[in-house]
Amino acid sequence: LANFGDLGSSIQHYVAEYQKQMENAATIDSIEQATRFSDQYPEFRRRKDSISKHVAITSEFKRLVNVNGLYGASQLEQEIVCSDSQQEHFKAVVDMLRGEDITNMERLRLVLLYALKYENDHSISDLRRLLRDRGLADEQIALIDQLLRYAGQSVRSVDLFQNKSFVSRTKAAITRQVQGVENVYTQHRSHLMTVADNLMKGRLKESSYPFLDSGGYHRSSGAAGREQRVPRAVIFVVGGATYEEARDIAELNRVAEGGRSVVLGGTTIHNSMSFLTDVAQLSMRTGQE
């Protein structure tokens, strides 16, 4: 799986490689070279068609990114999730909501993330009013409360933003400083990646992730039993996995040693719109608006 930046770099490399081959083909000084070019010509045509398609698709991706203001919105989303600076985040969200660079869907996404991160802060009411001023419908703004009922602090069993305690905040900050940020648009790592990594290392807490003994894996007392490594695992998410989780599992498999691997499955693959549709439908079924 590649992000948008990596995709663009790959296309540039692909085009440069094709141009180099065509330059070599243009200098035909002998019958042997002409014969070789004739044999390779169908492959050149096939590669040219492939490059044209990839460039066209990438150009359309870039157009959509620019039209929807995704560079600015995506960077702010990453900052909200990965760092703790409520005042700066609130100011940045307000500026983004008042600006003209993003769509109303991106405005709603920003407020939803902010509400999940700072759900007990009074500033959320100000963001609701700004959304209403921008023309969002009441049922769209109602997604804020619906999302908090579904995934707010009171129902989450994990430290989703790594900010519940001083230890978790310090650990997250040190990790970011040591590892650095390779791409500001892909700073965040899903909770599922942490679960999968701990699973493969045999470090999952049995109190949170109970299991049945089978296939030769037996409970053992002591650290050796708790840290028994798992060679292969299947993680199936009822309700749906996300593209970010698929990326994270692919990255985990890429660096895994000893042939260890994780297969990710789910009832669907979610983007933000399909996920919010499910959240809204869940609220309708429970009679909560």
Side-chain angles (χ1 to χ4, degrees):
L1 295 176
N3 60 50
F4 185 63
D6 292 340
L7 177 63
S9 297
S10 298
I11 293 297
Q12 288 181 341
H13 176 74
Y14 198 21
V15 171
E17 187 179 72
Y18 173 76
Q19 289 175 335
K20 183 178 180 180
Q21 290 179 340
M22 290 304 296
E23 289 173 0
N24 293 336
T27 56
I28 299 176
D29 300 323
S30 66
I31 295 177
E32 289 78 10
Q33 290 178 339
T35 302
R36 187 161 53 250
F37 175 76
S38 179
D39 292 338
Q40 294 177 344
Y41 185 71
E43 174 62 20
F44 284 143
R45 287 294 304 273
R46 185 196 66 78
R47 180 164 293 189
K48 178 183 177 182
D49 292 342
S50 177
I51 289 175
S52 297
K53 292 176 183 177
H54 281 79
V55 169
I57 292 172
T58 305
S59 297
E60 179 62 11
F61 282 161
K62 183 177 180 180
R63 186 189 69 82
L64 292 173
V65 167
N66 291 332
V67 167
N68 292 286
L70 294 183
Y71 283 121
S74 297
Q75 183 172 350
L76 181 53
E77 288 176 354
Q78 293 287 323
E79 292 297 331
I80 291 173
V81 173
C82 297
S83 64
D84 277 312
S85 184
Q86 189 270 331
Q87 290 184 347
E88 290 184 10
H89 292 163
F90 175 71
K91 182 180 183 303
V93 171
V94 169
D95 290 343
M96 195 75 72
L97 296 185
R98 288 175 173 169
E100 302 297 334
D101 295 333
I102 62 175
T103 66
N104 276 350
M105 182 62 194
E106 297 308 317
R107 292 185 176 94
L108 179 61
R109 279 160 47 103
L110 284 170
V111 174
L112 289 172
L113 275 178
Y114 182 91
L116 276 176
K117 183 73 175 283
Y118 306 110
E119 65 179 271
N120 295 318
D121 194 88
H122 63 85
S123 58
I124 297 176
S125 297
D126 297 330
L127 298 180
R128 292 178 197 269
R129 285 194 291 271
L130 282 173
L131 288 178
R132 192 168 286 108
D133 292 343
R134 298 301 308 196
L136 274 80
D138 289 341
E139 56 266 25
Q140 291 176 298
I141 299 174
L143 280 167
I144 299 172
D145 290 330
Q146 293 167 359
L147 183 62
L148 292 179
R149 282 195 295 268
Y150 173 77
Q153 292 180 10
S154 63
V155 293
R156 291 200 300 264
S157 60
V158 298
D159 189 357
L160 186 62
F161 296 105
Q162 296 185 335
N163 65 346
K164 281 188 176 181
S165 66
F166 174 78
V167 174
S168 61
R169 290 194 298 270
T170 302
K171 181 179 178 181
I174 292 175
T175 299
R176 285 193 294 271
Q177 291 174 2
V178 172
Q179 294 180 348
V181 177
E182 181 179 347
N183 187 331
V184 296
Y185 301 108
T186 58
Q187 298 177 60
H188 181 250
R189 291 294 180 266
S190 63
H191 177 66
L192 182 66
M193 184 176 188
T194 302
V195 172
D197 188 41
N198 287 334
L199 170 65
M200 301 307 286
K201 294 176 180 177
R203 296 177 182 173
L204 283 182
K205 294 181 180 180
E206 291 185 28
S207 58
S208 300
Y209 299 93
F211 67 95
L212 296 175
D213 299 327
S214 63
Y217 292 94
H218 303 292
R219 293 180 188 271
S220 304
S221 59
R226 290 194 299 272
E227 296 187 2
Q228 188 172 28
R229 290 178 175 266
V230 177
R232 287 174 300 279
V234 176
I235 298 178
F236 190 89
V237 184
V238 177
T242 67
Y243 290 100
E244 182 191 45
E245 289 169 340
R247 178 208 66 188
D248 288 346
I249 295 301
E251 175 65 17
L252 196 64
N253 287 333
R254 187 182 68 81
V255 300
E257 299 176 351
R260 295 183 300 126
S261 63
V262 177
V263 176
L264 175 64
T267 49
T268 189
I269 297 292
H270 275 305
N271 58 24
S272 57
M273 293 187 68
S274 64
F275 172 71
L276 292 175
T277 298
D278 280 1
V279 170
Q281 290 177 344
L282 182 62
S283 296
M284 291 174 62
R285 291 171 187 169
T286 58
Q288 295 175 315
E289 297 296 335

